[in-house]
Amino acid sequence: MPIDDATPVRLEVTGTDIDEAAAHLAHVYDAELVAGPSAVPFTFRYASMGDETMSLHSSRFAGHLDGSLPPSASVIVQWLRSGTSRLDTAGDPVDMVHGVPVPLLPDRTFSFEMDDYEQRLVHLSREVVERVATEQGADVTGGLRFDLTVLPSEQSVRTWHNTVSLVSHTLRDGGAGRLLHAEMARLAAASLLEMYPQHRAPEPRAAPAHSPHVRAAVEYVHENARLPITSSSLARHLDIGLRALQEAFQRDLQTTPNAFIRQVRLDRVRQELLAADPSARTVREVAAAWGFAHLGRFAQQYAAVFGERPSDTLARS
């Protein structure tokens, strides 16, 4: 299904029967689960909203639950709000820390043990995450890789939670169109990759699909987004004709160099606004730092992409 052609759905299930709760989760995740009671009376709640591009989930289970989940088509990012959880992917156990998101690779089976837990999850389309990673200059031809042995920085975790809060607010509002939903998914993917940056695969299985000039341009833009880059200056830096660069971008990324540069800068502004202290930073300062000199034009571009004013984003940080 194309990433802009999905119908958002909402689901909520509650109950006090532990077997019915386990059966529901087993059906949702196509998993083999074993449930057992704990010292507290059993209650269960599961809710989700979204589509195949991105969906938000919450789960509360007052009991013990263990089992294994098969490979998924999505990148699943989960974090605990209470209780305990241990994940094991290919013999690498991870004891989850409250509030710290842990991404699960879409191509691996993983087992888990959880007790009296409440957790949040975000399911992201693998296609979206890989596309954003590629735009950031990562080589994902060998697949996505997340180093779970290193805790992400506090700022990147704070940015993730602020991003999820924004996405949740947008979805609950009920007025998000497909284009805005797709942009929210891209923003969530960018926040995930900020917590868990991608590294070059040691033995890529195939050559990257993008031309060398496009790969070099994407890498240069992401590394120098604060500089006054234009299509012309980018072409000169790469020693390529402007027309040839424009055609390569259209062929490989279905966009123009100028639009790509603007999107990268808008994404950076949004991430910085979400992590900023409203009492210490202003929208004008953040926008100017990323090359947006005309505040009014910037605000229009920002609202067109993200569906809200930059001042509203900053106010929620």
Side-chain angles (χ1 to χ4, degrees):
M1 176 181 294
I3 64 172
D4 60 348
D5 191 25
T7 301
V9 296
R10 299 190 183 201
L11 172 69
E12 181 172 358
V13 178
T14 61
T16 56
D17 186 298
I18 192 169
D19 294 327
E20 290 182 358
H24 173 76
L25 290 175
H27 173 73
V28 168
Y29 289 100
D30 191 24
E32 298 180 0
L33 304 178
V34 176
S38 67
V40 299
F42 179 76
T43 57
F44 167 72
R45 180 181 182 273
Y46 175 86
S48 66
M49 60 180 176
D51 58 29
E52 293 182 1
T53 305
M54 174 184 60
S55 57
L56 308 185
H57 306 250
S58 64
S59 180
R60 185 178 67 243
F61 196 96
H64 173 83
L65 190 69
D66 65 67
S68 61
L69 271 65
S72 166
S74 301
V75 177
I76 301 176
V77 187
Q78 60 177 307
W79 62 99
L80 281 179
R81 300 192 68 181
S82 63
T84 62
S85 176
R86 166 169 282 202
L87 305 176
D88 193 338
T89 59
D92 298 319
V94 175
D95 291 313
M96 294 185 64
V97 178
H98 288 186
V100 178
V102 174
L104 303 174
L105 289 169
D107 57 354
R108 290 188 185 179
T109 298
F110 70 92
S111 59
F112 64 90
E113 294 184 10
M114 307 180 74
D115 289 283
D116 297 328
Y117 71 86
E118 181 178 359
Q119 68 171 344
R120 297 290 186 268
L121 308 94
V122 175
H123 293 209
L124 284 168
S125 162
R126 179 178 186 167
E127 176 188 356
V128 171
V129 179
E130 290 182 343
R131 181 182 302 177
V132 174
T134 300
E135 291 174 0
Q136 292 180 352
D139 181 359
V140 296
T141 54
L144 295 165
R145 295 291 181 267
F146 300 113
D147 186 359
L148 303 184
T149 64
V150 179
L151 287 176
S153 69
E154 291 184 3
Q155 178 173 335
S156 67
V157 171
R158 184 166 58 250
T159 298
W160 167 263
H161 287 300
N162 286 338
T163 300
V164 173
S165 177
L166 170 65
V167 171
S168 177
H169 175 80
T170 303
L171 293 184
R172 290 180 188 279
D173 211 22
R178 291 174 178 174
L179 180 59
L180 178 56
H181 188 88
E183 289 298 334
M184 292 291 100
R186 284 177 52 85
L187 182 61
S191 295
L192 167 62
L193 295 170
E194 183 178 344
M195 290 191 295
Y196 295 94
Q198 295 299 289
H199 304 284
R200 293 189 177 275
E203 296 181 2
R205 293 195 293 262
H210 295 163
S211 70
H213 283 125
V214 171
R215 293 201 308 274
V218 166
E219 182 176 348
Y220 181 81
V221 170
H222 277 285
E223 291 180 354
N224 300 277
R226 290 184 185 272
L227 299 180
I229 307 171
T230 65
S231 293
S232 298
S233 67
L234 185 58
R236 288 194 298 270
H237 172 77
L238 299 172
D239 194 22
I240 184 178
L242 177 58
R243 181 66 177 270
L245 180 64
Q246 292 171 334
E247 291 176 348
F249 260 77
Q250 193 63 48
R251 181 180 61 251
D252 286 359
L253 300 178
Q254 293 77 54
T255 190
T256 65
N258 273 340
F260 178 79
I261 294 167
R262 182 170 59 250
Q263 184 60 56
V264 170
R265 288 172 172 164
L266 286 171
D267 287 341
R268 299 291 178 83
V269 168
R270 189 169 191 80
Q271 292 176 23
E272 193 163 327
L273 289 175
L274 286 167
D277 180 354
S279 65
R281 300 296 304 276
T282 66
V283 170
R284 183 183 296 274
E285 290 172 345
V286 176
W290 290 103
F292 295 99
H294 192 290
L295 186 61
R297 187 177 303 119
F298 156 75
Q300 291 176 348
Q301 294 170 342
Y302 187 97
V305 172
F306 299 114
E308 67 173 3
R309 297 176 302 176
S311 57
D312 294 335
T313 304
L314 179 61
R316 278 203 302 276
S317 64

